[in-house]
Amino acid sequence: IFFVFFLDAIPSADQIRITPSLKSQKGSVWTKSKFSFENWEIEVTFRVTGRGRVGADGLAIWYTVDQGLDGPVFGAADSWNGVGIFFDSFDNDGKKNNPVVLVVGNNGQYLYDHQNDGAAQALGSCLRDFRNKPYPVRARIIYYKKTLTVMLHNGFTPNNDDYELCARVENMMLPPEGYFGISAATGGLADDHDVLSFLTFRLLEPGKPVEPADSTIPQEEKEKYREEYENFQQELDKKKEEFQKDHPDMQGEAADLFETVNERELRQIFEGQNRIHLEIKQLNKQLDMILDEQRRYVSLVTEEMAKRGTNTAPQAGQLPPGELDNIMRYQQEVLRHVGELKNSVTNALNQAAQLPGGATGSYETIQHFHEIKENLHTVKRDLAALVQRNLNAEKPKCPELPPFPSCLSTTHFFMFVAVQTVLFIGYIMYRSQQEAAAKKFF
């Protein structure tokens, strides 16, 4: 299968750079001939890399009736007839839901809503950060029995089979014949969009006989394509030599303008460790606030017990001394659990500060951060059990003493502690999701 490239696409021996990391670039690569497969599968391996934390605009994989050689939709034509799988890097609508992978179908009559990131037109989507990954990102797109399935390899591991489901669209009618293509575009921000491989497979139903291939390329045409490729390779080598002769002073400077893969990975590891360090510090401050609040409640209850005295019989409507002892015991259990959590966070903070700058240290930091989340869930369950135990007990009436303007019941107190703990845990989980959606490397 041979491809043709257009606009700013730059082919080389081992990959095709659809767009370089320059502003306002567009490029695309399309198959030379149409395919007439009833069921098919494609596997695309690519990289999207850039220096900034935010990139633009994105990359698209196409199956359309016509070749979309140029246009506003990630470097390809609008109003296409077929399907496009979009890897959108830039957040046009400001909803903080990018990078995102979208499946958008079209029958040739609709324009793509680029300003709203095609949210209302997407048949399926998933939030995935595909920029600046240690290994190439892989997309496996399967169209079988009118069902389109998109599987993604996140590029974190070298295992080529480490795919996860992104989207599935059922009852999807696609044209019986079409071109496969891939395009990309940049805007005010820019990324390098590189395609390393593009594999196409024909799928057959089990037990169905294999039909003879009518589209077998004749030997003469194969020789023609091979000769064309060799001529192209020679021409490319000539242009490289001419450029080196015409610009001998730029050969050493060009290498200094861009960071290497190892330098980028080290920078991402240090940035990730720094963000984890800051998050743990913030968590430590929140735990200090909870401890101070709990100590204040314990001191209030202790003062109340001291004022009443241990030998004084309780008046009507007042809490008996045994009930106050239970409150103190529950408070001590809460303080103990929160103290253990604070010690765990402090230890994690010290370990994060002493971690080396290698990839293994970053992985251990992430694992420890997950352990902290598990400890938070454990504290949440313990607090819920304490509240449930208190709710099952007999509810005493609050004392109405003239010196005290108000009284804190046991139920209200533990409800307040539970709500405060749930809000705090929700805040931590929300921040973690925001960090993942904002493409930060952990």
Side-chain angles (χ1 to χ4, degrees):
I1 300 171
F2 293 88
F3 294 84
V4 289
F5 55 92
F6 302 94
L7 300 176
D8 299 317
I10 305 172
S12 65
D14 55 349
Q15 67 180 30
I16 296 180
R17 176 153 291 178
I18 308 296
T19 58
S21 55
L22 301 173
K23 294 182 179 180
S24 303
Q25 299 287 298
K26 292 189 294 184
S28 63
V29 178
W30 294 86
T31 56
K32 284 187 176 182
S33 58
K34 282 188 175 182
F35 289 82
S36 57
F37 297 160
E38 181 180 0
N39 304 304
W40 47 263
E41 175 183 339
I42 59 175
E43 293 185 4
V44 184
T45 306
F46 63 92
R47 285 183 182 271
V48 180
T49 55
R51 292 190 174 186
R53 293 174 57 188
V54 180
D57 278 326
L59 179 142
I61 301 173
W62 302 94
Y63 175 76
T64 57
V65 173
D66 300 313
Q67 295 174 332
L69 305 183
D70 185 13
V73 185
F74 301 100
D78 208 339
S79 301
W80 66 93
N81 186 1
V83 65
I85 295 87
F86 302 155
F87 295 80
D88 193 348
S89 304
F90 189 71
D91 189 9
N92 291 284
D93 55 4
K95 294 184 179 180
K96 297 182 179 180
N97 54 356
N98 291 79
V100 66
V101 182
L102 304 171
V103 179
V104 182
N106 201 337
N107 59 0
Q109 300 180 4
Y110 301 99
L111 296 176
Y112 181 63
D113 186 9
H114 216 306
Q115 295 302 320
N116 294 316
D117 290 333
Q121 300 170 318
L123 303 176
S125 65
C126 64
L127 291 175
R128 294 293 185 275
D129 185 6
F130 46 83
R131 298 180 66 251
N132 296 327
K133 296 305 175 185
Y135 300 95
V137 178
R138 297 173 181 269
R140 177 180 293 171
I141 303 165
I142 305 170
Y143 182 68
Y144 185 72
K145 292 185 178 181
K146 305 299 185 293
T147 299
L148 185 74
T149 305
V150 179
M151 308 287 291
L152 289 182
H153 182 292
N154 55 20
F156 277 118
T157 64
N159 184 8
N160 296 337
D161 297 326
D162 191 11
Y163 282 91
E164 59 182 359
L165 178 63
C166 172
R168 177 178 285 113
V169 182
E170 297 181 352
N171 299 323
M172 188 172 191
M173 302 297 295
L174 292 180
E177 294 183 350
Y179 294 92
F180 288 106
I182 186 167
S183 65
T186 63
L189 301 174
D191 284 334
D192 289 323
H193 299 88
D194 301 325
V195 178
L196 282 69
S197 67
F198 195 112
L199 304 178
T200 309
F201 304 93
R202 180 184 183 182
L203 302 180
L204 297 175
E205 297 181 13
K208 186 175 182 180
V210 179
E211 300 177 358
D214 298 332
S215 58
T216 304
I217 302 177
Q219 186 65 28
E220 296 179 358
E221 193 170 353
K222 287 183 179 180
E223 294 295 335
K224 176 184 174 183
Y225 285 143
R226 185 179 296 108
E227 184 179 356
E228 181 181 345
Y229 175 76
E230 292 176 355
N231 293 336
F232 168 77
Q233 190 67 33
Q234 293 175 1
E235 184 179 354
L236 181 63
D237 294 337
K238 278 185 183 179
K239 289 183 178 180
K240 288 182 179 179
E241 294 176 359
E242 291 176 0
F243 180 83
Q244 292 176 358
K245 291 179 181 179
D246 296 339
H247 305 84
D249 52 338
M250 295 183 62
Q251 296 181 18
E253 297 177 0
D256 299 334
L257 296 176
F258 303 96
E259 59 184 358
T260 63
V261 175
N262 292 333
E263 290 175 349
R264 180 184 294 123
E265 290 181 357
L266 286 175
R267 176 177 57 81
Q268 292 172 352
I269 290 171
F270 285 130
E271 290 177 356
Q273 289 182 350
N274 185 46
R275 288 193 293 268
I276 294 174
H277 187 79
L278 294 177
E279 288 294 333
I280 295 178
K281 276 188 174 180
Q282 185 67 22
L283 181 60
N284 198 16
K285 292 180 181 178
Q286 295 289 339
L287 289 175
D288 286 337
M289 294 173 60
I290 294 176
L291 283 174
D292 293 339
E293 194 73 14
Q294 295 297 323
R295 291 193 182 99
R296 187 171 68 86
Y297 289 141
V298 171
S299 63
L300 290 176
V301 176
T302 304
E303 292 176 1
E304 174 68 14
M305 293 180 62
K307 288 180 181 179
R308 294 184 182 184
T310 57
N311 298 324
T312 304
Q315 300 179 3
Q318 293 183 355
L319 288 174
E323 194 67 30
L324 290 177
D325 291 338
N326 291 334
I327 295 176
M328 289 293 298
R329 186 170 62 256
Y330 294 153
Q331 284 293 325
Q332 293 297 334
E333 291 182 8
V334 172
L335 283 174
R336 181 173 57 82
H337 286 298
V338 177
E340 292 176 356
L341 180 59
K342 182 178 183 300
N343 294 333
S344 177
V345 173
T346 304
N347 294 334
L349 189 62
N350 296 332
Q351 292 179 8
Q354 299 174 0
L355 281 176
T360 305
S362 178
Y363 176 78
E364 292 176 354
T365 304
I366 296 173
Q367 290 295 107
H368 200 81
F369 194 68
H370 290 323
E371 291 177 2
I372 293 174
K373 285 187 177 180
E374 293 178 359
N375 291 334
L376 285 175
H377 288 299
T378 302
V379 173
K380 179 183 175 182
R381 288 195 300 267
D382 292 342
L383 289 176
L386 292 174
V387 173
Q388 186 65 30
R389 190 193 311 174
N390 184 58
L391 291 177
N392 294 333
E394 183 180 357
K395 299 181 180 178
K397 297 181 180 180
C398 280
E400 298 180 357
L401 297 177
F404 299 95
S406 63
C407 177
L408 180 66
S409 69
T410 307
T411 302
H412 291 166
F413 168 72
F414 283 107
M415 288 179 62
F416 172 79
V417 172
V419 170
Q420 186 180 24
T421 305
V422 170
L423 290 176
F424 172 65
I425 296 173
Y427 168 77
I428 295 298
M429 297 178 64
Y430 173 75
R431 286 295 301 273
S432 300
Q433 293 177 357
Q434 289 295 99
E435 291 292 336
K439 312 166 295 303
K440 295 186 177 180
F441 182 84
F442 289 94

